[in-house]
Amino acid sequence: MNFKHLFILLVSANLSAQKISGTIFSEKHQPVTDARIGIENEDTGSITDQEGKYLIDFTGLDKNKILKVEVNGYEPFKIKVSDFEALNQYNISLIKKAVEIENVNIVPKKYVQKNFGTRNSKKVYCGYDS
């Protein structure tokens, strides 16, 4: 009789395990490699392979936690675990991060090279003697 209860317990525990797999794509529907997907502030997560595929285990997690995807060069993707589980497909599309860099103006400086021990001095412009 005890074996029957143990078997039922093991089968029900196995059915409650929830592993979700999917693919992470860019805007142009190209797979994104080495993307970090996981639960925010938790040790649960995974990294995508060369085809952008991942497998993450949601067993025993609070459904109000935040699922986060981060990749260099893309905007971070965040969604509640409960909302993510309600989706039909677990494919994620990331948006490229737009970075604006200010213009840099380079102005050459006028250097004065002094010869210590003599009264002569030379003027140097951008490394050239004058």
Side-chain angles (χ1 to χ4, degrees):
M1 196 73 156
N2 288 337
F3 291 115
K4 189 176 192 181
H5 293 292
L6 180 63
F7 178 73
I8 292 172
L9 179 67
L10 289 176
V11 169
S12 64
N14 197 15
L15 291 176
S16 67
Q18 188 171 11
K19 293 185 178 182
I20 293 178
S21 64
T23 308
I24 298 178
F25 294 105
S26 67
E27 292 173 317
K28 297 178 181 176
H29 209 68
Q30 298 293 323
V32 177
T33 61
D34 299 326
R36 298 174 305 274
I37 180 169
I39 305 302
E40 198 169 46
N41 300 325
E42 294 283 330
D43 292 336
T44 304
S46 182
I47 296 178
T48 58
D49 61 8
Q50 296 294 342
E51 298 171 355
K53 296 185 181 196
Y54 66 90
L55 176 67
I56 190 166
D57 189 7
F58 286 158
T59 305
L61 283 177
D62 182 14
K63 304 304 179 194
N64 293 322
K65 297 273 185 180
I66 302 294
L67 177 72
K68 187 174 183 180
V69 179
E70 285 187 341
V71 187
N72 291 336
Y74 292 91
E75 295 288 336
F77 176 83
K78 293 182 181 182
I79 189 171
K80 283 178 82 172
V81 171
S82 58
D83 295 339
F84 186 72
E85 289 178 338
L87 298 174
N88 293 334
Q89 293 183 349
Y90 301 115
N91 297 334
I92 299 170
S93 180
L94 297 178
I95 300 169
K96 279 257 189 206
K97 186 185 294 185
V99 178
E100 287 191 30
I101 300 175
E102 294 181 28
N103 289 336
V104 177
N105 294 327
I106 300 174
V107 180
K109 278 187 155 182
K110 181 178 177 182
Y111 294 102
V112 176
Q113 183 179 17
K114 293 187 177 184
N115 294 329
F116 294 104
T118 64
R119 292 183 184 239
N120 298 339
S121 66
K122 293 181 180 180
K123 292 190 179 192
V124 178
Y125 293 95
C126 298
Y128 295 103
D129 292 338
S130 61

